[in-house]
Amino acid sequence: MGCNTSALATPAPVIELAQWLRSRRQLSGLSYRQMAAKATTDPHQPVPHLRFYHADRGRKLPAWQVVESYVRVCGADERQAERLWKKAETATAAPGSPAARRRPVLAPEFIGEPIELLDAMRAMRFSHGNRSLRELDQAAGLGLLPRSTLGAVLSGKRMPSKDLLMVFVRVCGGVRPGTPKAMAWEQAWTRADAHRRGLFTDMSQHDHVDEEARQDAGGADMPLRSATGKPGRTWRRRVARMLHVLAPRPDARTTTPIPPVTLPVVRLPSPTPR
């Protein structure tokens, strides 16, 4: 049981910063080499153009000095850049650092992004003795929590699979399968995975279903009620409804009937006997 290697837990603020930087560069009309030439103040120490290229890829948080030079060359708003950079710094901060303390750990009912799920897993491990990866692997047994896989998940390199997450919360947090708490963690993983695949952008877009609909569906693959108690639909029904609306439909006012086509009758000459 492993993880999806493409399910990187890249924080959304880092991607937001990268997209904003790319948009500023496109508005300026500069190439990366032109940006490097403008940023170079000492001819003996030219600024490499790849520095700006990697800054707006969204793979990791660039240093503030790089972002500051980027926006100055492009003539962008430095205050906006600083706000986005600080937001991304908080999202990528290591556990225990001052920036990480500014990022609250959410309960599973309110988790909507992979980085929030990662924070909750780290906090659960720390609050329950901060056991080593080897101890967690031995407690799970049968190779259900491989040290290499769990290490990659907790370091933010991968997003856990749902099975690995449920084993982790059972071993580390004592969450028993089938309980409401376990269901909350399963639905937290579903929302984080949907966010990673671009189905959601924030928690305000998450639809929730009322208790009557959950009972009719047997509680399978249905989200819990929101904190406001408002009913809604599951993300699967939402996507199906969107596809139904976007499907092209014939319009009786604009559609003209196609007249029948009459093919000419061609008589072939009868073969002559040899």
Side-chain angles (χ1 to χ4, degrees):
M1 177 178 55
C3 301
N4 188 348
T5 56
S6 63
L8 300 180
T10 303
V14 176
I15 300 177
E16 181 183 3
L17 173 63
Q19 292 175 344
W20 185 82
L21 290 176
R22 288 199 299 269
S23 66
R24 300 307 96 180
R25 185 184 69 84
Q26 292 173 357
L27 289 176
S28 68
L30 298 174
S31 66
Y32 293 110
R33 295 185 183 276
Q34 291 172 337
M35 292 174 60
K38 292 186 64 175
T40 300
T41 57
D42 186 356
H44 301 286
Q45 295 180 350
V47 176
H49 69 280
L50 291 178
R51 178 179 301 175
F52 298 122
Y53 171 80
H54 292 296
D56 62 12
R57 294 300 93 189
R59 298 189 181 97
K60 63 178 182 178
L61 179 67
W64 167 245
Q65 292 78 4
V66 177
V67 175
E68 185 179 24
S69 178
Y70 193 112
V71 296
R72 285 182 178 177
V73 169
C74 295
D77 187 355
E78 292 188 24
R79 290 186 178 182
Q80 176 71 359
E82 184 178 5
R83 185 187 68 83
L84 293 174
W85 185 85
K86 287 184 176 180
K87 181 180 177 182
E89 181 197 25
T90 302
T92 57
S97 63
R101 297 190 191 102
R102 298 193 297 265
R103 185 176 66 219
V105 178
L106 302 179
E109 292 82 1
F110 304 102
I111 291 175
E113 299 182 14
I115 187 61
E116 297 170 350
L117 183 66
L118 174 62
D119 285 342
M121 294 178 65
R122 289 171 173 174
M124 174 179 286
R125 180 191 179 193
F126 182 79
S127 61
H128 289 79
N130 199 20
R131 289 187 286 178
S132 65
L133 299 179
R134 182 184 297 274
E135 292 173 340
L136 293 174
D137 185 10
Q138 294 175 351
L142 301 176
L144 296 178
L145 283 180
R147 283 176 291 169
S148 59
T149 303
L150 184 59
V153 168
L154 294 177
S155 63
K157 296 179 180 179
R158 298 179 179 180
M159 180 174 168
S161 65
K162 181 183 289 188
D163 292 338
L164 187 140
L165 174 65
M166 299 313 299
V167 174
F168 176 84
V169 298
R170 174 178 61 83
V171 173
C172 192
V175 179
R176 291 179 298 176
T179 60
K181 195 69 173 179
M183 183 181 297
W185 279 103
E186 290 180 357
Q187 292 163 354
W189 182 93
T190 300
R191 292 191 297 269
D193 182 65
H195 185 280
R196 177 185 62 83
R197 292 185 286 116
L199 296 180
F200 295 138
T201 57
D202 52 51
M203 285 295 292
S204 63
Q205 297 181 1
H206 294 168
D207 288 334
H208 301 275
V209 70
D210 57 6
E211 189 65 26
E212 182 179 356
R214 288 185 67 248
Q215 294 176 357
D216 294 341
D221 199 18
M222 305 289 283
L224 295 174
R225 293 176 65 89
S226 64
T228 59
K230 295 181 180 179
R233 297 180 176 87
T234 62
W235 66 270
R236 293 181 186 274
R237 293 184 180 181
R238 181 183 178 88
V239 173
R241 181 166 57 87
M242 291 175 62
L243 294 177
H244 179 72
V245 172
L246 295 176
R249 299 179 181 179
D251 192 345
R253 296 173 298 179
T254 59
T255 304
T256 57
I258 301 176
V261 178
T262 304
L263 298 177
V265 178
V266 179
R267 297 182 179 277
L268 299 177
S270 58
T272 56
R274 295 182 178 181

